Amino acid sequence: MATKTDKLLAVLKLQPVVPVLIIDDVVHAVPLAKALVAGGLKAIEITMRTSAALEAVKRVAGEVEGAVVGAGTILNAAHYEAAVAAGSQFIVSPGTTAEVLAAAAASDIPLLPGAATASEVMNLREKGYEVLKFFPAEQAGGAAYLKSLSSPLAGTLFCPTGGISLKNAMDYLSLPNVVCVGGSWVAPKDLVAAGDWAGITKLASEACALKG
């Protein structure tokens, strides 16, 4: 487990913001990932919420130099295995189930499991997880809530995701128990649809400049 934690931390420490992408059309995957990498955001999460997602992971993994692609919204073992087979280098789940944890235990690819309560964090810590996704961040209590966990649950690091934007990202990044944040604002649907890759690179550069 320690090796997997180190692997995961190496990815999450690449940048302050991990783009969380919903890709509807697979033709956007490679140019979008290239635009994000050009702006300094190398670790990219592609969520398994569309029929194009797996192929998008495969293409980014195979064609985008410098990208570290992961799969998000992993809900079961079949999702986990398919995402790994497509080339995912890390896996993200919105919450945690016994099935997802079993799939993670059987794989060399690290899991960033979701948690929103102190009890969920404690349960994951018992299983050896030290780095967790805090989701949905804003709706679950925001930066103030996460700050309140830093003392009783010291030693746990979080990647908060959900409702985070350029405006409130520093509220999280300034916390001692936050390693990075996840956000979709760096790849707005209108810019993706328009193929405005330069605009996305600019947003990525702004996000990359944020420091905790």
Side-chain angles (χ1 to χ4, degrees):
M1 180 62 87
T3 304
K4 287 186 193 176
T5 301
D6 290 344
K7 255 193 209 179
L8 184 60
L9 277 174
V11 172
L12 299 181
K13 287 181 176 179
L14 285 172
Q15 62 218 35
V17 180
V18 175
V20 179
L21 309 179
I22 298 174
I23 295 179
D24 295 306
D25 189 335
V26 73
V27 301
H28 292 146
V30 168
L32 173 55
K34 284 182 176 177
L36 291 166
V37 171
L41 301 184
K42 296 179 179 180
I44 297 167
E45 176 190 337
I46 296 175
T47 60
M48 296 292 110
R49 301 183 197 182
T50 70
S51 58
L54 275 175
E55 180 63 22
V57 168
K58 188 175 181 180
R59 291 193 188 182
V60 173
E63 299 176 35
V64 183
E65 188 176 350
V68 180
V69 64
T73 320
I74 297 299
L75 306 180
N76 53 50
H79 277 176
Y80 204 115
E81 290 156 12
V84 170
S88 295
Q89 292 176 259
F90 63 100
I91 297 291
V92 186
S93 60
T96 314
T97 65
E99 182 181 341
V100 169
L101 290 177
S107 175
D108 290 333
I109 302 302
L111 170 68
L112 177 67
T117 68
S119 294
E120 289 170 352
V121 174
M122 289 170 66
N123 279 326
L124 285 164
R125 281 171 57 119
E126 282 183 1
K127 293 173 173 61
Y129 286 90
E130 299 170 16
V131 187
L132 313 178
K133 170 177 175 168
F134 176 54
F135 177 82
E138 283 291 284
Q139 296 82 353
Y145 177 86
L146 201 51
K147 183 179 181 180
S148 71
L149 296 182
S150 62
S151 181
L153 297 173
T156 309
L157 291 173
F158 295 91
C159 171
T161 304
I164 298 176
S165 67
L166 188 62
K167 290 181 181 177
N168 64 1
M170 282 307 302
D171 295 343
Y172 291 93
L173 290 169
S174 61
L175 299 178
N177 55 344
V178 168
V179 62
C180 64
V181 300
S184 58
W185 84 86
V186 293
K189 282 194 172 184
D190 58 337
L191 295 192
V192 174
D196 186 355
W197 310 125
I200 287 172
T201 294
K202 184 175 182 291
L203 291 175
S205 297
E206 290 172 355
C208 199
L210 296 169
K211 300 294 179 188

